[in-house]
C-alpha cells in the first residue's frame, strides 16, 4: 500500500488516467499533472497524444481507473468529452469514475460539461495542490 493511500484511509492508491483526446498536440500540462499526481502517491497512466475517445474509454476500463483526467487545449471539448462520457456509460464505468477536465475551457462551455458529469474543470494556473486535494476528496473508494 502506498503512503498516500494509507494516510488517506484507502486500501489502494488512487488510480488515474491522464488522457489527451483528439488532435491536440500540446501535452506539457498533461505531463506536469501526471508527475504531480505520481508524486502525490497516485498510480498514473498517461494515454499519449492523439487518442480517439473510444481509445481513452478502453484504457480507463482496462486500467480500472478511479479518475479520468482529460487534458484538452484544442477547443474540441464540446464534441470529444461527450463521446468519452457516452463510452464510459456504455461500458458501465461512468458512475464509478471521477471525470475531470483540464485546459482551455471557456466559461460559457463549462455548465454543459458539468451537466454531462464532469466533476471539475481546472484551467491554466490552477494550483497543483488544489487539483490533488480535489481528487483525494472526490475519487471513488474501491476497496
Amino acid at each position: 500500500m502506498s503512503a498516500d493511500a494509507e494516510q488517506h484511509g484507502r486500501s489502494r492508491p488512487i488510480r488515474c488516467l491522464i488522457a489527451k483526446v483528439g488532435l491536440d498536440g500540446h501535452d506539457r500540462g498533461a505531463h506536469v499533472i501526471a508527475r504531480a499526481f505520481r508524486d502525490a502517491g497516485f498510480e498514473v497512466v498517461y494515454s499519449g497524444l492523439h487518442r480517439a475517445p473510444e481509445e481513452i474509454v478502453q484504457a480507463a476500463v482496462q486500467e480500472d481507473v478511479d479518475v479520468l483526467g482529460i487534458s484538452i487545449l484544442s477547443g474540441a471539448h464540446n464534441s470529444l468529452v461527450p463521446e468519452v462520457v457516452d463510452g464510459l456509460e456504455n461500458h458501465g464505468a461512468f458512475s464509478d469514475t471521477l471525470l475531470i477536465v483540464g485546459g482551455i475551457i471557456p466559461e460559457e462551455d463549462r455548465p454543459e460539461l458539468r451537466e454531462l458529469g464532469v466533476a471539475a474543470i481546472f484551467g491554466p494556473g490552477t494550483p497543483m495542490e488544489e487539483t490533488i486535494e480535489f481528487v483525494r476528496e472526490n475519487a471513488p473508494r474501491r476497496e
Side-chain angles (χ1 to χ4, degrees), residues 13-139:
I14 295 170
R15 294 180 55 79
C16 305
L17 171 62
I18 304 301
K20 292 296 294 181
V21 64
L23 298 177
D24 182 356
H26 302 282
D27 65 348
R28 182 172 295 167
H31 284 279
V32 168
I33 196 73
R35 279 191 302 274
F37 280 9
R38 179 204 62 202
D39 292 348
F42 304 162
E43 290 182 5
V44 180
V45 176
Y46 174 60
S47 71
L49 290 170
H50 309 300
R51 299 295 180 222
E54 184 56 31
E55 289 178 292
I56 299 304
V57 169
Q58 287 296 322
V61 170
Q62 289 172 3
E63 295 289 342
D64 190 28
V65 298
D66 305 305
V67 180
L68 171 54
I70 298 175
S71 170
I72 192 159
L73 302 167
S74 66
H77 50 273
N78 286 334
S79 60
L80 296 173
V81 173
E83 288 184 44
V84 171
V85 169
D86 288 345
L88 289 171
E89 287 174 339
N90 290 338
H91 284 86
F94 183 73
S95 64
D96 61 354
T97 304
L98 179 70
L99 179 60
I100 59 176
V101 174
I104 308 295
I105 311 294
E107 285 297 326
E108 61 267 17
D109 293 345
R110 291 174 180 223
E112 183 178 332
L113 293 174
R114 286 194 178 100
E115 285 178 24
L116 286 171
V118 174
I121 300 166
F122 300 100
T126 301
M128 202 60 64
E129 193 57 38
E130 181 180 322
T131 307
I132 291 166
E133 284 307 310
F134 182 87
V135 168
R136 280 188 181 130
E137 292 171 9
N138 294 283

